[in-house]
Amino acid sequence: MRLDVFSIFPEYLAALDLSLVGKAAKSGLLDVRVHDLRDWTHDRHRTVDDTPSGGGAGMVMKPEPWGEALDAVAPVDGPAQPRLIVPTPAGRPFSQELAYELAAEPWLAFACGRYEGIDARVAEYAGERMRVDEVSIGDYVLNGGEVAVLVMVEAVARLLPGVIGNPESLAEESHSGDGLLEYPVYTKPTSWRGHDVPDVLLSGNHALIAQWRHDQAVRRTAERRPDLLAAWGGVVAGKDDAAA
Ligand SMILES: Nc1cc(-c2ccc3cc[nH]c3c2)n[nH]1
């Protein structure tokens, strides 16, 4: 997978050189290219923003640098076009389902906005030749798209074959196949500062352990994300079990 990221703070994306994504890039599973949007400005101040049409507070990102950046990185007459992801509080919710969908794309491009956002015509223009998704990573407001891109790139990259060591662990995560939150995990020591690992996990009885983990996942989901439980539609062992 090729990933292009456009930002006026390219150093913000240095985190993509680390850990899982960094290793995937070094191994050739990912081709990560970070671009400074100001490389497509032509004035002495490398201007990327201007006042909002119609008035209002703050500044808006000018369309021209974005148009030139997209044309340079994904030429109109090129052999392929990326899927463009634009982080915004006004976007469709990012989800594990969308992460899996994006992980199947050969080429993603991320447009990091700043100020009050990017001139709306940029997404319109890009939409004439590539798929554009305006995406929110949650109902809270950041100062720019860079953090959202780091979140989405990590969520997507870890789904790529060969990126994480044990693909089986993907199946048991929160928001994975069964729609429940993941169960609590423990390791050694079995007793720590007066807190013990649940006995069932030391029993060696794999059927009992699996049942306990499922029950814990249902309980957690009922307590913390009743909305997911409704969607899950599974039979809760008993009202008391889930709520206790
Ligand atoms: N989910 C979410 C996205 C954002 C976001 C994304 C881009 C920009 C550009 C300027 N402010 C921004 C905020 N906040 N919260």
Side-chain angles (χ1 to χ4, degrees), residues 162-243:
V163 173
I164 64 168
N166 175 14
E168 285 175 23
S169 59
L170 292 177
E172 294 194 332
E173 296 176 328
S174 294
H175 311 293
S176 65
D178 67 1
L180 294 171
L181 298 183
E182 58 195 18
Y183 50 78
V185 292
Y186 300 82
T187 184
K188 295 183 283 297
T190 51
S191 188
W192 173 73
R193 296 190 179 190
H195 298 268
D196 299 341
V197 171
D199 290 339
V200 64
L201 298 181
L202 309 174
S203 69
N205 183 325
H206 297 297
L208 269 183
I209 290 168
Q211 185 59 53
W212 180 87
R213 285 174 168 170
H214 174 75
D215 294 347
Q216 290 297 312
V218 172
R219 181 199 306 267
R220 264 187 169 185
T221 309
E223 286 168 0
R224 300 176 185 178
R225 290 295 303 273
D227 58 305
L228 291 182
L229 201 64
W232 175 63
V235 176
V236 175
K239 184 171 60 65
D240 297 345
D241 291 357

Side-chain angles (χ1 to χ4, degrees), residues 59 61 86-92 94 111-118 135-149 152:
M59 303 291 275
M61 297 192 93
V86 185
T88 167
R92 69 183 278 206
F94 185 62
C112 298
R114 279 276 157 173
Y115 308 102
E116 299 307 309
I118 303 171
V135 180
S136 166
I137 62 163
D139 291 339
Y140 41 82
V141 183
L142 303 167
N143 273 340
E146 286 80 6
V147 168
V149 168
M152 290 190 275

